[in-house]
Amino acid sequence: ASNNSVDDIRTLIDQVRIPPPIGKYKVFIIDEVHMLTTAAFNAFLKTLEEPPHHALFILATTEKHKVLPTILSRCQIYDLSIADMVEHLQYVSSQEGVTAEPEALNVIAQKADGGMRDALSIFDQVVSFTNGNIMYQAVIDNLNVLDYEYYFRLTDAILSGNVRASLLIL
């Protein structure tokens, strides 16, 4: 994110021209690509349009609306779904010996709002709070998330005209 100027992109372009000493490809990962300046995006555009055969670019961002449309139109876009994130969190929990309810992991994935790094950070926090036993109720308690039961109780109170109960639930 701090290498977002035209000069930084020119340095990258110089590195792209050099074929890999070992292997078939050189992979360039640009994290937080939305932080590039407009001039840097424009400097990068030509290389992105006609990359050398050995160069692969991975542009990572959680804010793709900030990336110039001319750049986006030249990319394959992979958005992580909630299901993808839950699947990866299940994998991580199995590798780390953590037990986790799928509903709890679903809440974590939703709270991460499309960011796998955020989901893993939340997962780590919840693991420490729950001693490696991630349950749905513990997740919503620790993350201050309102579950469906809250909305059902509030809706019932409003529909029955019980103003006092509605205010107490709020």
Side-chain angles (χ1 to χ4, degrees), residues 57 97 105 116:
F57 296 99
L105 296 179
M116 193 68 228

Side-chain angles (χ1 to χ4, degrees), residues 2-158:
S2 60
N3 298 324
N4 58 3
S5 70
V6 173
D7 289 335
D8 295 320
I9 291 299
R10 286 187 181 136
T11 302
L12 175 71
I13 292 168
D14 289 340
Q15 293 174 5
V16 168
R17 292 185 185 135
I18 303 167
I22 299 173
K24 194 174 180 181
Y25 299 103
K26 271 178 114 171
V27 178
F28 297 88
I29 301 172
I30 304 174
D31 194 17
E32 304 293 339
V33 73
H34 64 274
M35 298 295 289
L36 291 178
T37 63
T38 301
F41 273 127
N42 289 330
F44 185 48
L45 188 58
K46 180 70 173 166
T47 302
L48 194 60
E49 285 176 333
E50 300 172 11
H53 69 281
H54 62 267
L56 297 175
F57 296 99
I58 298 175
L59 310 179
T61 184
T62 54
E63 301 182 48
K64 74 177 178 190
H65 62 278
K66 291 184 177 180
V67 178
L68 291 180
T70 53
I71 298 289
L72 285 177
S73 68
R74 287 151 177 85
C75 296
Q76 294 178 1
I77 298 172
Y78 299 96
D79 290 319
L80 292 178
S81 69
I82 298 293
D84 294 334
M85 295 173 75
V86 168
E87 182 181 332
H88 186 68
L89 290 172
Q90 286 173 331
Y91 171 77
V92 170
S93 59
S94 69
Q95 294 298 306
E96 296 297 322
V98 173
T99 57
E101 291 180 342
E103 298 83 9
L105 296 179
N106 196 315
V107 171
I108 292 170
Q110 288 178 10
K111 189 78 171 172
D113 195 30
M116 193 68 228
R117 181 175 39 210
D118 293 341
L120 291 170
S121 295
I122 295 169
F123 177 82
D124 286 342
Q125 291 172 3
V126 171
V127 167
S128 67
F129 288 125
T130 62
N131 295 319
N133 188 20
I134 303 175
M135 307 299 282
Y136 175 79
Q137 190 62 45
V139 170
I140 62 172
D141 289 346
N142 285 310
L143 298 179
N144 294 321
V145 174
L146 302 175
D147 67 344
Y148 294 116
E149 187 60 36
Y150 169 84
Y151 294 109
F152 292 144
R153 285 193 343 258
L154 181 60
T155 303
D156 289 343
I158 290 170

